[in-house]
Amino acid sequence: MPKGKPDAKYVRFTDELNALDYLEKAYEATRRFPRDRTAWKWVVIGLHGALYSFAICALKGTDWTRVTRRGTRKLIAFDEAIKRCQSIDWMTQVVHSRPIYLTDEQRDAIAFLKRIRSARALCAPRPERRRARPGGERD
């Protein structure tokens, strides 16, 4: 890395770099998991982010508006990105492009990943379980 102050005022990330970064973070978290059980959260977040980012890359091609909500600069949602990646209309933009075909097992895995990510990343509060004391009393 060059010494001194960087020329750019801001750091810029490409969609491809973002996808790879998520995947790398998920991998690093798997390496930490044996000694840090909280790393599991980052495995889930990283895998979800990588899948979403790679879907955006595949759909975008050379036109960034293909992955934004109509009339806005906001990205399409995760589910919409995965749906479009399976569509011939969206994925045949160049000669070598083709849609992905997900097996039932892959669909289930994506649904599971989404469900876990929603529960863990947002730290949804859960009702506390009260332990019964000897004699039937509750804490």
Side-chain angles (χ1 to χ4, degrees):
M1 178 164 213
K3 293 182 179 181
K5 190 174 181 181
D7 291 334
K9 188 172 185 176
Y10 302 98
V11 176
R12 296 179 193 257
F13 296 97
T14 64
D15 296 317
E16 296 80 7
L17 182 59
N18 196 42
L20 291 170
D21 186 45
Y22 270 120
L23 196 56
E24 183 179 22
K25 296 304 184 247
Y27 170 74
E28 289 171 0
T30 63
R31 307 268 309 185
R32 286 194 328 267
F33 184 70
R35 65 183 183 283
D36 178 8
R37 295 193 54 118
T38 64
W40 175 246
K41 173 175 81 170
W42 298 108
V43 172
V44 171
I45 291 170
L47 289 177
H48 184 276
L51 182 59
Y52 182 35
S53 296
F54 280 120
I56 293 297
C57 290
L59 290 165
K60 179 185 70 168
T62 59
D63 181 5
W64 63 269
T65 62
R66 290 174 49 84
V67 294
T68 57
R69 295 182 200 155
R70 183 169 286 185
T72 71
R73 294 181 62 104
K74 294 181 179 183
L75 280 178
I76 57 175
F78 177 89
D79 288 335
E80 181 64 21
I82 298 301
K83 179 180 164 186
R84 288 183 187 183
C85 283
Q86 297 172 76
S87 166
I88 291 173
D89 295 334
W90 283 96
M91 290 302 295
T92 54
Q93 57 190 328
V94 295
V95 175
H96 293 78
S97 295
R98 63 181 197 259
I100 61 169
Y101 297 99
L102 298 174
T103 65
D104 289 340
E105 185 178 23
Q106 290 166 332
R107 289 179 205 279
D108 291 346
I110 290 171
F112 176 74
L113 182 64
K114 278 183 49 191
R115 199 168 50 252
I116 295 298
R117 184 198 174 273
S118 295
R120 299 290 180 247
L122 301 178
C123 299
R126 295 181 183 192
E128 284 188 41
R129 287 196 275 178
R130 301 180 80 187
R131 293 176 286 165
R133 291 183 184 168
E137 297 176 10
R138 297 226 173 238
D139 284 342

mmCIF file of all heavy atoms in Angstrom, residues 4-24:
data_model
loop_
_atom_site.group_PDB
_atom_site.id
_atom_site.type_symbol
_atom_site.label_atom_id
_atom_site.label_comp_id
_atom_site.label_asym_id
_atom_site.label_seq_id
_atom_site.Cartn_x
_atom_site.Cartn_y
_atom_site.Cartn_z
ATOM 1 N N GLY A 4 1.469 7.653 2.783
ATOM 2 C CA GLY A 4 0.903 8.979 2.661
ATOM 3 C C GLY A 4 -0.604 8.965 2.623
ATOM 4 O O GLY A 4 -1.256 7.935 2.758
ATOM 5 N N LYS A 5 -1.143 10.137 2.417
ATOM 6 C CA LYS A 5 -2.587 10.320 2.410
ATOM 7 C C LYS A 5 -3.177 9.855 1.076
ATOM 8 O O LYS A 5 -2.655 10.173 0.016
ATOM 9 C CB LYS A 5 -2.873 11.804 2.623
ATOM 10 C CG LYS A 5 -4.308 12.132 2.878
ATOM 11 C CD LYS A 5 -4.452 13.605 3.218
ATOM 12 C CE LYS A 5 -5.897 13.924 3.503
ATOM 13 N NZ LYS A 5 -6.061 15.335 3.805
ATOM 14 N N PRO A 6 -4.296 9.114 1.118
ATOM 15 C CA PRO A 6 -4.910 8.684 -0.141
ATOM 16 C C PRO A 6 -5.435 9.880 -0.932
ATOM 17 O O PRO A 6 -5.817 10.894 -0.370
ATOM 18 C CB PRO A 6 -6.055 7.776 0.286
ATOM 19 C CG PRO A 6 -6.155 7.857 1.756
ATOM 20 C CD PRO A 6 -4.994 8.627 2.281
ATOM 21 N N ASP A 7 -5.437 9.752 -2.255
ATOM 22 C CA ASP A 7 -5.910 10.828 -3.123
ATOM 23 C C ASP A 7 -7.421 11.022 -3.028
ATOM 24 O O ASP A 7 -7.909 12.141 -3.079
ATOM 25 C CB ASP A 7 -5.539 10.542 -4.586
ATOM 26 C CG ASP A 7 -4.036 10.628 -4.829
ATOM 27 O OD1 ASP A 7 -3.357 11.353 -4.064
ATOM 28 O OD2 ASP A 7 -3.557 9.971 -5.752
ATOM 29 N N ALA A 8 -8.143 9.943 -2.904
ATOM 30 C CA ALA A 8 -9.603 10.025 -2.895
ATOM 31 C C ALA A 8 -10.110 10.562 -1.564
ATOM 32 O O ALA A 8 -9.557 10.263 -0.513
ATOM 33 C CB ALA A 8 -10.204 8.656 -3.164
ATOM 34 N N LYS A 9 -11.178 11.339 -1.640
ATOM 35 C CA LYS A 9 -11.786 11.871 -0.432
ATOM 36 C C LYS A 9 -12.668 10.815 0.234
ATOM 37 O O LYS A 9 -12.856 10.817 1.428
ATOM 38 C CB LYS A 9 -12.624 13.094 -0.788
ATOM 39 C CG LYS A 9 -13.140 13.849 0.404
ATOM 40 C CD LYS A 9 -13.785 15.140 -0.021
ATOM 41 C CE LYS A 9 -14.193 15.933 1.194
ATOM 42 N NZ LYS A 9 -14.746 17.230 0.837
ATOM 43 N N TYR A 10 -13.198 9.897 -0.564
ATOM 44 C CA TYR A 10 -14.087 8.866 -0.069
ATOM 45 C C TYR A 10 -13.603 7.507 -0.559
ATOM 46 O O TYR A 10 -12.965 7.393 -1.581
ATOM 47 C CB TYR A 10 -15.514 9.077 -0.580
ATOM 48 C CG TYR A 10 -16.074 10.421 -0.204
ATOM 49 C CD1 TYR A 10 -16.053 11.475 -1.108
ATOM 50 C CD2 TYR A 10 -16.613 10.638 1.046
ATOM 51 C CE1 TYR A 10 -16.570 12.717 -0.764
ATOM 52 C CE2 TYR A 10 -17.134 11.869 1.404
ATOM 53 C CZ TYR A 10 -17.102 12.906 0.492
ATOM 54 O OH TYR A 10 -17.609 14.119 0.845
ATOM 55 N N VAL A 11 -13.951 6.493 0.187
ATOM 56 C CA VAL A 11 -13.681 5.128 -0.248
ATOM 57 C C VAL A 11 -14.876 4.672 -1.066
ATOM 58 O O VAL A 11 -16.019 4.879 -0.670
ATOM 59 C CB VAL A 11 -13.484 4.179 0.969
ATOM 60 C CG1 VAL A 11 -13.303 2.755 0.515
ATOM 61 C CG2 VAL A 11 -12.319 4.640 1.814
ATOM 62 N N ARG A 12 -14.619 4.067 -2.195
ATOM 63 C CA ARG A 12 -15.707 3.583 -3.044
ATOM 64 C C ARG A 12 -15.603 2.077 -3.185
ATOM 65 O O ARG A 12 -14.526 1.537 -3.350
ATOM 66 C CB ARG A 12 -15.654 4.230 -4.417
ATOM 67 C CG ARG A 12 -15.883 5.713 -4.360
ATOM 68 C CD ARG A 12 -15.804 6.318 -5.750
ATOM 69 N NE ARG A 12 -15.719 7.756 -5.635
ATOM 70 C CZ ARG A 12 -16.742 8.570 -5.848
ATOM 71 N NH1 ARG A 12 -17.896 8.076 -6.196
ATOM 72 N NH2 ARG A 12 -16.594 9.860 -5.714
ATOM 73 N N PHE A 13 -16.747 1.430 -3.113
ATOM 74 C CA PHE A 13 -16.798 -0.017 -3.255
ATOM 75 C C PHE A 13 -17.612 -0.366 -4.489
ATOM 76 O O PHE A 13 -18.679 0.199 -4.697
ATOM 77 C CB PHE A 13 -17.461 -0.658 -2.028
ATOM 78 C CG PHE A 13 -16.682 -0.455 -0.762
ATOM 79 C CD1 PHE A 13 -17.003 0.568 0.107
ATOM 80 C CD2 PHE A 13 -15.620 -1.287 -0.450
ATOM 81 C CE1 PHE A 13 -16.283 0.765 1.269
ATOM 82 C CE2 PHE A 13 -14.899 -1.109 0.712
ATOM 83 C CZ PHE A 13 -15.228 -0.074 1.577
ATOM 84 N N THR A 14 -17.129 -1.310 -5.250
ATOM 85 C CA THR A 14 -17.921 -1.810 -6.367
ATOM 86 C C THR A 14 -18.869 -2.881 -5.841
ATOM 87 O O THR A 14 -18.663 -3.422 -4.754
ATOM 88 C CB THR A 14 -17.028 -2.422 -7.456
ATOM 89 O OG1 THR A 14 -16.363 -3.576 -6.911
ATOM 90 C CG2 THR A 14 -15.999 -1.421 -7.973
ATOM 91 N N ASP A 15 -19.859 -3.200 -6.630
ATOM 92 C CA ASP A 15 -20.790 -4.262 -6.230
ATOM 93 C C ASP A 15 -20.046 -5.583 -6.099
ATOM 94 O O ASP A 15 -20.315 -6.375 -5.193
ATOM 95 C CB ASP A 15 -21.911 -4.399 -7.254
ATOM 96 C CG ASP A 15 -22.767 -3.144 -7.325
ATOM 97 O OD1 ASP A 15 -23.094 -2.599 -6.254
ATOM 98 O OD2 ASP A 15 -23.088 -2.712 -8.443
ATOM 99 N N GLU A 16 -19.111 -5.821 -7.003
ATOM 100 C CA GLU A 16 -18.342 -7.063 -6.965
ATOM 101 C C GLU A 16 -17.462 -7.136 -5.721
ATOM 102 O O GLU A 16 -17.386 -8.174 -5.061
ATOM 103 C CB GLU A 16 -17.481 -7.186 -8.230
ATOM 104 C CG GLU A 16 -18.263 -7.298 -9.519
ATOM 105 C CD GLU A 16 -18.798 -5.967 -10.070
ATOM 106 O OE1 GLU A 16 -18.469 -4.889 -9.545
ATOM 107 O OE2 GLU A 16 -19.584 -6.027 -11.038
ATOM 108 N N LEU A 17 -16.804 -6.041 -5.386
ATOM 109 C CA LEU A 17 -15.967 -6.001 -4.189
ATOM 110 C C LEU A 17 -16.817 -6.187 -2.934
ATOM 111 O O LEU A 17 -16.418 -6.888 -1.999
ATOM 112 C CB LEU A 17 -15.190 -4.686 -4.112
ATOM 113 C CG LEU A 17 -14.237 -4.527 -2.933
ATOM 114 C CD1 LEU A 17 -13.182 -5.631 -2.942
ATOM 115 C CD2 LEU A 17 -13.580 -3.166 -2.963
ATOM 116 N N ASN A 18 -17.988 -5.608 -2.928
ATOM 117 C CA ASN A 18 -18.899 -5.751 -1.793
ATOM 118 C C ASN A 18 -19.287 -7.219 -1.599
ATOM 119 O O ASN A 18 -19.274 -7.732 -0.481
ATOM 120 C CB ASN A 18 -20.143 -4.882 -2.030
ATOM 121 C CG ASN A 18 -20.943 -4.666 -0.783
ATOM 122 O OD1 ASN A 18 -20.417 -4.431 0.290
ATOM 123 N ND2 ASN A 18 -22.242 -4.742 -0.926
ATOM 124 N N ALA A 19 -19.628 -7.895 -2.693
ATOM 125 C CA ALA A 19 -20.013 -9.310 -2.618
ATOM 126 C C ALA A 19 -18.857 -10.157 -2.089
ATOM 127 O O ALA A 19 -19.047 -11.014 -1.213
ATOM 128 C CB ALA A 19 -20.454 -9.810 -3.993
ATOM 129 N N LEU A 20 -17.673 -9.916 -2.602
ATOM 130 C CA LEU A 20 -16.506 -10.678 -2.152
ATOM 131 C C LEU A 20 -16.166 -10.381 -0.701
ATOM 132 O O LEU A 20 -15.753 -11.270 0.048
ATOM 133 C CB LEU A 20 -15.305 -10.396 -3.054
ATOM 134 C CG LEU A 20 -15.429 -10.944 -4.469
ATOM 135 C CD1 LEU A 20 -14.307 -10.399 -5.356
ATOM 136 C CD2 LEU A 20 -15.426 -12.458 -4.467
ATOM 137 N N ASP A 21 -16.342 -9.139 -0.285
ATOM 138 C CA ASP A 21 -16.074 -8.764 1.098
ATOM 139 C C ASP A 21 -17.017 -9.502 2.052
ATOM 140 O O ASP A 21 -16.590 -10.022 3.082
ATOM 141 C CB ASP A 21 -16.216 -7.253 1.265
ATOM 142 C CG ASP A 21 -15.801 -6.778 2.642
ATOM 143 O OD1 ASP A 21 -14.738 -7.217 3.136
ATOM 144 O OD2 ASP A 21 -16.533 -5.964 3.241
ATOM 145 N N TYR A 22 -18.296 -9.558 1.712
ATOM 146 C CA TYR A 22 -19.251 -10.314 2.534
ATOM 147 C C TYR A 22 -18.838 -11.783 2.645
ATOM 148 O O TYR A 22 -18.871 -12.371 3.722
ATOM 149 C CB TYR A 22 -20.656 -10.260 1.935
ATOM 150 C CG TYR A 22 -21.502 -9.111 2.406
ATOM 151 C CD1 TYR A 22 -22.001 -8.176 1.498
ATOM 152 C CD2 TYR A 22 -21.855 -8.972 3.742
ATOM 153 C CE1 TYR A 22 -22.808 -7.129 1.918
ATOM 154 C CE2 TYR A 22 -22.656 -7.933 4.167
ATOM 155 C CZ TYR A 22 -23.131 -7.012 3.257
ATOM 156 O OH TYR A 22 -23.936 -5.982 3.676
ATOM 157 N N LEU A 23 -18.454 -12.360 1.513
ATOM 158 C CA LEU A 23 -18.066 -13.766 1.509
ATOM 159 C C LEU A 23 -16.814 -13.991 2.357
ATOM 160 O O LEU A 23 -16.730 -14.955 3.125
ATOM 161 C CB LEU A 23 -17.826 -14.229 0.069
ATOM 162 C CG LEU A 23 -17.786 -15.712 -0.180
ATOM 163 C CD1 LEU A 23 -19.045 -16.401 0.302
ATOM 164 C CD2 LEU A 23 -17.574 -15.967 -1.671
ATOM 165 N N GLU A 24 -15.864 -13.075 2.249
ATOM 166 C CA GLU A 24 -14.644 -13.178 3.049
ATOM 167 C C GLU A 24 -14.948 -13.061 4.543
ATOM 168 O O GLU A 24 -14.401 -13.804 5.355
ATOM 169 C CB GLU A 24 -13.654 -12.096 2.626
ATOM 170 C CG GLU A 24 -12.341 -12.171 3.365
ATOM 171 C CD GLU A 24 -11.350 -11.105 2.924
ATOM 172 O OE1 GLU A 24 -11.767 -10.070 2.373
ATOM 173 O OE2 GLU A 24 -10.150 -11.314 3.142
#
